[in-house]
Amino acid sequence: MKEPIRILHVLGGVSLGGAESRIMDLYRCIDREKIQFDFLVHQSVQGYYEEEIKMLGGRLYRVPRFRLYNIFAYRKALQNFFANHHEFRAVHGHMTSTAAIYLPIAKKYGIPMTIAHARSAGVDKGAKGALTRLLRRPLPRKCDRMFACSGLAGEAVFGEKNVAAGKVQIIPNAIDVRPFCYREETRSEMRRALSLEGKFVVGHVGRFHYAKNHEYLLEVFAEIAGRQDNAVLLLLGEGERMAEMKQRAEMLDIADKTIFAGNQKETWKYYQAMDFFVFPSRFEGLPGTVIEAQSAGLSCLISDTIAKETVITELTACKSIAESPVKWAEYVLANREYERTDRYEQIVAADFDVRTQAKWYEQFYLNA
């Protein structure tokens, strides 16, 4: 039997993050007899998806994490890697901060296709963000193809002119819709398991990172809890700011009403237990979690900095994080009564179904 072609995905790591989860959804659905994924990561510790990647037939490789002071060692590690690995049909770079370094090296050593994929519409604050912008500046000239999960992400990484000229292909962050579809039975089971019966559950899914704006979310919930005695905040995710947010919950006197559930494999079950999804991010590319929440039939209130493509159902509204948390809380409470229904057809019709997207990627990679 003919060996499958191999595609190398370049990431910071394979933890339970948005980009990683979307790539894994795609990996599970793509025809692996024709196409296999491998991963080059900048993480020395084992990531959340490593065992599954190996089980699906993928290979993992590691290079040092980029620091400005180790740029020569970083380039050397990449040169050594690609000098010994010519087997990839394409290198698909999701880590755009250093893609202008690793994609030209891949091309130099004979990789036919290099792709830069914009997954975020912003950068960290301070010097780190400024360095990211600087490193991305030459990227449009350093890759064969430019992909982005939304127009905002494309403009942030590749520039408005390239998006306007049609040089950036917009590919939504598709999900496996079916598990997330609303099921009353699953909702009842999860609410019993989490002791949430009779509670008004405000939910959020996302890693504890500056972009996600958890401090604002906690202030919104504090206002909700002050007006709704049975309110509970259910948070899924982990990250470097988790301990800080636990302290902030204590300070706001909502720690006893806040569940820090960490990373969960069966995320779809937790959406079923929620009553309202609140997502006040500072910046995003196109957050798959909001698509998942809508698939679960949840009313969502999200920040207006998030790409317009994210709003699929009439249950989703946008608000500015420049407004007082009180205004967000008032909106949630004023709209907490609604009919929870299956939104599968709407999500699929909006081109967010990963099975359809997998077919497109199959053709793209095979013809690369």
Side-chain angles (χ1 to χ4, degrees):
M1 190 172 77
K2 188 178 179 182
E3 286 290 309
I5 66 167
R6 306 199 77 89
I7 307 298
L8 183 70
H9 290 273
V10 184
L11 291 154
V14 284
S15 58
L16 195 62
E20 298 93 321
S21 296
R22 301 291 74 84
I23 296 163
M24 290 304 296
D25 282 341
L26 181 64
Y27 193 13
R28 296 178 194 112
C29 293
I30 209 160
D31 187 344
R32 293 188 298 279
E33 291 186 0
K34 296 179 181 177
I35 299 164
Q36 262 295 342
F37 287 176
D38 295 321
F39 295 80
L40 182 66
V41 299
H42 298 66
Q43 187 179 48
S44 57
V45 298
Q46 180 169 322
Y48 182 87
Y49 287 117
E50 286 200 22
E51 292 305 316
E52 184 180 1
I53 288 168
K54 292 172 185 175
M55 182 185 71
L56 293 173
R59 303 164 184 163
L60 282 118
Y61 306 96
R62 301 180 192 278
V63 291
R65 189 174 177 182
F66 175 77
R67 309 286 190 187
L68 187 59
Y69 62 78
N70 74 343
I71 186 168
F72 297 111
Y74 181 68
R75 288 181 62 87
K76 184 67 174 175
L78 289 163
Q79 288 167 350
N80 289 340
F81 175 79
F82 285 111
N84 290 288
H85 291 280
H86 309 279
E87 67 268 30
F88 307 114
R89 177 70 63 89
V91 175
H92 195 147
H94 307 272
M95 186 176 172
T96 56
S97 57
T98 58
I101 300 174
Y102 61 75
L103 291 180
I105 293 173
K107 196 73 175 179
K108 175 184 174 182
Y109 284 97
I111 303 300
M113 172 70 71
T114 59
I115 307 154
H117 199 142
R119 297 274 186 182
S120 177
V123 296
D124 290 332
K125 61 182 178 180
K128 185 178 180 183
L131 177 60
T132 297
R133 289 193 183 93
L134 181 65
L135 290 167
R136 282 175 175 170
R137 191 171 297 169
L139 185 52
R141 305 189 306 273
K142 302 288 186 177
C143 60
D144 295 318
R145 295 294 295 268
M146 292 179 280
F147 291 171
C149 63
S150 67
L152 281 178
E155 290 173 1
V157 176
F158 304 117
E160 292 181 15
K161 289 183 179 178
N162 283 316
V163 173
K167 295 179 180 180
V168 181
Q169 185 148 5
I170 308 300
I171 304 172
N173 280 342
I175 67 167
D176 186 358
V177 180
R178 291 174 188 172
F180 292 93
C181 292
Y182 179 65
R183 295 176 182 83
E184 182 61 36
E185 183 180 349
T186 305
R187 173 177 168 81
S188 297
E189 288 174 359
M190 285 302 292
R191 286 174 75 89
R192 278 196 301 271
L194 296 169
S195 299
L196 294 174
E197 292 166 298
K199 303 294 186 182
F200 175 64
V201 183
V202 177
H204 181 275
V205 179
R207 66 191 176 107
F208 285 81
H209 179 269
Y210 170 77
K212 301 300 182 186
N213 203 9
H214 280 88
E215 58 269 39
Y216 188 89
L217 173 62
L218 290 172
E219 290 179 14
V220 171
F221 179 72
E223 296 294 340
I224 293 171
R227 294 162 170 79
Q228 181 91 21
D229 289 341
N230 66 339
V232 172
L233 179 61
L234 176 58
L235 302 173
L236 271 68
E238 295 178 0
E240 66 269 22
R241 303 188 79 204
M242 189 173 183
E244 179 188 344
M245 292 305 117
K246 286 182 177 180
Q247 291 176 355
R248 186 174 285 261
E250 293 277 1
M251 184 186 73
L252 292 168
D253 199 26
I254 54 172
D256 61 333
K257 296 183 176 216
T258 305
I259 300 171
F260 290 85
N263 289 336
Q264 297 293 332
K265 276 191 174 181
E266 297 178 318
T267 316
W268 56 89
K269 292 184 178 179
Y270 288 82
Y271 285 104
Q272 307 293 325
M274 298 172 187
D275 294 303
F276 216 105
F277 193 78
V278 180
F279 203 79
S281 288
R282 290 184 168 93
F283 57 84
E284 293 282 348
L286 196 157
T289 51
V290 178
I291 309 304
E292 292 169 351
Q294 290 176 91
S295 300
L298 277 169
S299 264
C300 304
L301 180 58
I302 67 176
S303 56
D304 61 4
T305 57
I306 295 173
K308 64 183 183 300
E309 296 97 324
T310 308
V311 180
I312 300 170
T313 72
E314 75 285 358
L315 294 174
T316 302
C318 302
K319 219 165 182 42
S320 172
I321 55 175
E323 289 191 48
S324 164
V326 172
K327 297 296 184 183
W328 280 60
E330 288 174 347
Y331 180 91
V332 171
L333 292 172
N335 292 275
R336 66 184 181 276
E337 300 292 339
Y338 62 96
E339 184 182 4
R340 192 86 174 264
T341 59
D342 186 336
R343 299 293 175 140
Y344 178 81
E345 297 298 335
Q346 277 182 279
I347 306 301
V348 172
D351 294 327
F352 280 93
D353 180 50
V354 74
R355 287 174 174 79
T356 302
Q357 197 172 97
K359 297 296 181 186
W360 183 88
Y361 269 111
E362 283 175 17
Q363 293 305 309
F364 174 80
Y365 286 141
L366 288 168
N367 294 313

